[in-house]
Amino acid sequence: MKASKCGSSIALVIGLVAVILALPDMLPGQTAAAKSSGGEATSPTRWKVQVDQVDPGNLELAYSFQIAIYENLVEELKKTTRFQQVFRDGDLKASAVPNLLVLKTTVEKYTAGSETRRAVTTVSGATKLTVRNQLLTREGKVVLERTVNGDVRFFGSNLRATHNLARNVAKTIKQSSWSGSGQATATLTGQL
Amino acid sequence: MRVTHLLGFANASKNSTGTLSIQDDSLQFQRNGKPGTKVKIAFLRDVFLGAESKQVGGLPMTLGEAAAPFGGGRVVSLFAHKKYDTLTLGYVDADGGIHGAIFQLEKGQGEVMRNELMARGVTISSHHVQPAKASDAEASHESK
């Protein structure tokens, strides 16, 4: 009786070890499968994107903020590798490339914060930004439309909100997918 | 003049300190002892001056303030800030792509650099007439 109990517990331990050893091999396999299926469905690398300058809308957004959002967007979109190429607004090379999407950013809300107020009170002085992002084809068809926030609540300068915002936009775009063989037929199939 | 490059100027790294100067027909940012990065003044499209008020001391100071007992760090925060000028430049590359760069300068130096650039023919766009109002307000509030 005691021997059988001992044997079963040894078997259990061996089984657990086998599962633990097998798991690291299984997880990358699953990730790869997910990646490849996503890639076939959306062919993200076929697309190129042109980042347009930030439209401040009716808000009195400082030029430095507009520039910081724009520059951070270009940088973060390059990091995602979601697009084959990232063009800047006005880039002459972009006019000739196929499968080009245009990213338009319009600022909807802006709360100017204060670094000192954040440091003194902790709970107030946050800098907040809300923007509406649209990915459009050259013909003007919207394939993705999202409202994204970015803020800085505790540590960091006011401009850090633009970095957080751009990172959120890039993350949203990375996790969204769209399908279609050409620009005209491109449609959004999923989003965050 | 000594500046901190916040972002966007050619290939210069973010938050790096160096010298911003006008060399012949170019605006050059050079870190200590390293080759400088240049943008031709003819490619500059916009120059914009703003004001910011920032905490001094960086992360060590912030951590020290947070660790100070009886909320003493908050009192220190009230005084541990400094006003800076921010110089925002808009320029184009050889392909026509629009770039932007932001520099942080000692108070008063931003205007000097802007005037120098304007003297060399750089214009200020009318659609950027609204300066960093909030930052200015913040700066003036904090100077009281």
Side-chain angles (χ1 to χ4, degrees):
Chain A
M1 188 75 176
K2 203 173 181 182
S4 72
K5 259 190 181 176
C6 186
S8 64
S9 52
I10 288 171
L12 188 69
V13 168
I14 290 170
L16 269 174
V17 170
V19 167
I20 289 166
L21 289 175
L23 202 58
D25 290 337
M26 280 168 66
L27 286 176
Q30 285 167 356
T31 313
K35 270 182 187 169
S36 65
S37 68
E40 277 169 23
T42 61
S43 303
T45 51
R46 284 191 308 116
W47 297 94
K48 290 112 184 164
V49 69
Q50 178 182 307
V51 182
D52 270 11
Q53 277 192 294
V54 174
D55 177 6
N58 299 323
L59 301 169
E60 290 177 356
L61 184 67
Y63 185 50
S64 56
F65 266 73
Q66 295 172 43
I67 285 293
I69 294 171
Y70 171 75
E71 285 292 330
N72 282 315
L73 271 176
V74 171
E75 191 183 315
E76 292 296 324
L77 284 174
K78 278 180 183 167
K79 273 190 205 168
T80 62
T81 65
R82 186 77 165 83
F83 299 99
Q84 202 175 33
Q85 247 179 313
V86 179
F87 293 101
R88 290 170 175 274
D89 194 3
D91 197 327
L92 298 172
K93 285 186 291 185
S95 58
V97 297
N99 296 327
L100 183 80
L101 294 173
V102 179
L103 179 69
K104 287 191 182 296
T105 307
T106 310
V107 183
E108 291 193 328
K109 276 185 207 166
Y110 167 58
T111 309
S114 160
E115 193 178 349
T116 305
R117 230 164 75 196
R118 283 196 293 275
V120 173
T121 66
T122 310
V123 290
S124 70
T127 303
K128 296 176 189 172
L129 274 165
T130 304
V131 299
R132 172 157 290 271
N133 278 112
Q134 285 182 317
L135 264 180
L136 302 110
T137 62
R138 231 194 276 269
E139 291 78 23
K141 186 173 181 178
V142 179
V143 295
L144 179 68
E145 187 163 8
R146 299 292 293 156
T147 300
V148 184
N149 300 307
D151 53 29
V152 52
R153 288 180 182 278
F154 303 112
F155 302 120
S157 66
N158 294 333
L159 277 178
R160 186 156 182 82
T162 63
H163 175 255
N164 295 342
L165 175 79
R167 213 174 42 189
N168 291 344
V169 171
K171 195 176 164 189
T172 304
I173 290 172
K174 192 178 182 182
Q175 292 177 353
S176 302
S177 62
W178 54 89
S179 64
S181 55
Q183 292 157 357
T185 57
T187 50
L188 175 67
T189 56
Q191 57 186 4
L192 263 182
Chain B
M1 59 182 66
R2 296 289 295 171
V3 299
T4 302
H5 169 246
L6 298 182
L7 59 89
F9 191 75
N11 297 319
S13 53
K14 279 184 176 181
N15 297 315
S16 54
T17 307
T19 311
L20 188 67
S21 58
I22 294 172
Q23 304 281 335
D24 303 324
D25 61 343
S26 301
L27 185 65
Q28 179 180 271
F29 174 72
Q30 187 171 25
R31 290 182 71 183
N32 298 340
K34 293 186 176 176
T37 49
K38 288 181 182 179
V39 169
K40 289 204 171 204
I41 291 175
F43 288 167
L44 292 178
R45 293 287 175 266
D46 285 319
V47 182
F48 178 80
L49 198 59
E52 275 285 336
S53 176
K54 291 187 78 171
Q55 290 283 307
V56 295
L59 186 65
M61 183 76 160
T62 308
L63 291 175
E65 285 169 1
F70 310 114
R74 294 173 195 272
V75 180
V76 174
S77 294
L78 267 175
F79 304 101
H81 56 83
K82 193 177 173 186
K83 282 183 271 181
Y84 295 96
D85 282 350
T86 55
L87 188 72
T88 308
L89 305 171
Y91 66 95
V92 293
D93 58 28
D95 296 315
I98 295 169
H99 294 248
I102 306 175
F103 292 98
Q104 179 182 289
L105 304 90
E106 292 290 322
K107 189 155 176 60
Q109 289 195 322
E111 199 164 354
V112 176
M113 179 55 78
R114 184 182 65 171
N115 292 342
E116 269 186 56
L117 290 170
M118 283 171 69
R120 289 175 181 253
V122 181
T123 55
I124 299 174
S125 293
S126 57
H127 61 276
H128 303 311
V129 286
Q130 289 295 338
K133 250 186 172 174
S135 300
D136 285 343
E138 178 186 329
S140 62
H141 170 72
E142 284 162 358
S143 65
K144 284 175 188 171

